[in-house]
Amino acid sequence: MIDLPPHCRTEIRDWIRLGLLGILGGMILGIWWTGVRKKIQYGDIGTPAAVITADGKEHLQLPPGLHWEAGVKLKLSHGHVILITGVLPMCFAMAIFLVHACGGRPTDKGMMRAAFWLYAIGSVGAVGIMVYRGAASFYAIQPAIEAGELNFA
């Protein structure tokens, strides 16, 4: 058993917590996207339209290119959230452990805290912007169709 300094155990625990929260957030984002994409359907090539189906639900019918383009940013943000806030922090936790397992010199407590908080704030901010941009571009389609601004005929 490797005897880690107490501040290294704390850092490894914090990185793993961030990683688990990131994976959970990415999974929730994927489930949310699955629900959101049911509101749009493939329509004919030409003009997008808002239609009401037999079960009384409103759906958007979009041409194939617009259908793909409307949700691609939100679709891609799901994987980025898992990678940036989930997988990479787990790798950083493993790196802290491996440095000590290979006989490396312990890193200063303040430096490790600064690295954790800078990465945590930066990664959450980055994926927050990605999710916002994806949701904004996806949800901007319906008002544009209803206003008649998207006419491809």
Side-chain angles (χ1 to χ4, degrees):
M1 179 82 180
I2 307 264
D3 188 30
L4 293 171
H7 73 279
C8 288
R9 279 186 260 133
T10 302
E11 287 302 316
I12 289 172
R13 186 173 50 243
D14 288 345
W15 283 109
I16 290 174
R17 283 180 185 160
L18 178 64
L20 291 175
L21 287 173
I23 290 171
L24 179 67
M27 293 296 143
I28 290 171
L29 183 61
I31 293 168
W32 176 58
W33 165 247
T34 302
V36 164
R37 73 179 170 90
K38 291 180 181 176
K39 295 180 181 179
I40 60 173
Q41 300 173 343
Y42 281 111
D44 297 329
I45 295 176
T47 305
V51 296
I52 298 177
T53 58
D55 59 355
K57 293 182 181 177
E58 183 179 5
H59 293 281
L60 295 176
Q61 286 187 343
L62 302 177
L66 185 59
H67 185 277
W68 180 82
E69 192 176 325
V72 71
K73 288 181 185 175
L74 193 55
K75 226 183 299 189
L76 291 176
S77 64
H78 153 75
H80 282 82
V81 169
I82 291 173
L83 179 67
I84 293 172
T85 60
V87 175
L88 286 178
M90 296 288 193
C91 293
F92 296 149
M94 190 65 190
I96 293 170
F97 174 77
L98 287 176
V99 163
H100 293 287
C102 295
R105 185 171 64 83
T107 308
D108 181 35
K109 179 182 178 181
M111 181 62 105
M112 291 179 82
R113 292 300 317 154
F116 172 78
W117 282 110
L118 286 172
Y119 185 83
I121 292 169
S123 66
V124 169
V127 298
I129 290 170
M130 278 187 243
V131 171
Y132 172 75
R133 285 186 60 212
S137 66
F138 182 79
Y139 285 117
I141 297 291
Q142 186 170 2
I145 290 170
E146 291 172 355
E149 296 170 3
L150 291 177
N151 190 355
F152 300 111

